[in-house]
Amino acid sequence: MRGFRVLVVDDSRAARQVLVAAMTSLGSGACDEAADGAEALKRFVSGEYDLVVTDVHMPRLDGLKLIHHIRSGSRRAQVPILVVTTD
């Protein structure tokens, strides 16, 4: 799946950089970044993504709540979500 668009969500800048590099090496066409679930939800609603990669523990809106919001009302509720955590 070349040229796919990814939303990378993590409150750690270093973790986002690693995840973006990994997605780019897999052929991602574009990676957008968000520092927490609230920012990610805004980007998700206004953008078109083929994959969401999210951390679990973040300020304002955690990864599990982000997933809940995506799955329960978005026209793109079936977008794949990869959960990554250091826990």
Side-chain angles (χ1 to χ4, degrees):
M1 184 162 92
R2 289 278 190 227
F4 56 99
R5 187 158 177 173
V6 181
L7 177 58
V8 175
V9 189
D10 200 305
D11 57 324
S12 164
R13 182 178 172 153
R16 287 194 315 270
Q17 289 174 335
V18 168
L19 291 168
V20 167
M23 293 297 109
T24 301
S25 73
L26 292 172
S28 168
C31 286
D32 290 339
E33 299 178 42
D36 60 49
E39 181 184 346
L41 190 56
K42 287 179 187 175
R43 289 183 182 270
F44 184 82
V45 168
S46 64
E48 292 288 330
Y49 296 99
D50 301 301
L51 174 67
V52 175
V53 180
T54 185
D55 184 19
V56 174
H57 300 289
M58 296 178 289
R60 296 198 314 159
L61 184 70
D62 68 31
L64 298 177
K65 289 178 184 165
L66 171 62
I67 292 167
H68 174 76
H69 285 292
I70 289 172
R71 293 287 187 244
S72 68
S74 170
R75 60 183 169 79
R76 296 180 317 276
Q78 298 304 313
V79 67
I81 300 172
L82 175 64
V83 178
V84 179
T85 186
T86 57
D87 288 348

